[in-house]
């Protein structure tokens, strides 16, 4: 999938506007949720940066003892 920087910019603009439809890779795409749009943006940025495709992010919850 040859994504371009313009694809990332269009998706960022769609997220900022709050719309659920954007043009990505020359196709009109309708997203189901904001989370799906953000995941797609991360994937496009990873491809553009040359990071491994299919890699996933790991996050660890930060907790306190409530003191």
């Amino acid at each position: 999938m040859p994504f371009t920087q313009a694809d990332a910019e269009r998706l960022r603009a769609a997220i900022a506007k709050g719309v659920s439809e954007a043009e990505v890779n020359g196709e009109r795409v309708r997203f189901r949720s904001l989370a799906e749009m953000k995941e797609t943006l991360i994937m496009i940025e990873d491809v553009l940066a040359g990071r491994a495709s299919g890699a996933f992010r790991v996050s660890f919850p930060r907790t306190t003892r409530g003191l």
Side-chain angles (χ1 to χ4, degrees), residues 15 23 32 35 39-41 43 46 57 59 63:
I15 290 170
E23 187 174 326
R32 290 177 287 222
E39 288 174 16
T40 303
L41 180 59
M43 180 193 64
D46 286 347
R57 296 180 185 265
S59 61
T63 61

Side-chain angles (χ1 to χ4, degrees), residues 18-47:
V19 297
S20 62
E21 195 171 301
E23 187 174 326
V24 177
N25 202 16
E27 297 179 25
R28 200 82 173 136
V29 180
R30 181 174 296 243
F31 295 95
R32 290 177 287 222
S33 66
L34 178 61
E36 185 180 27
M37 291 177 85
K38 288 180 177 180
E39 288 174 16
T40 303
L41 180 59
I42 289 169
M43 180 193 64
I44 291 172
E45 289 174 339
D46 286 347
V47 168

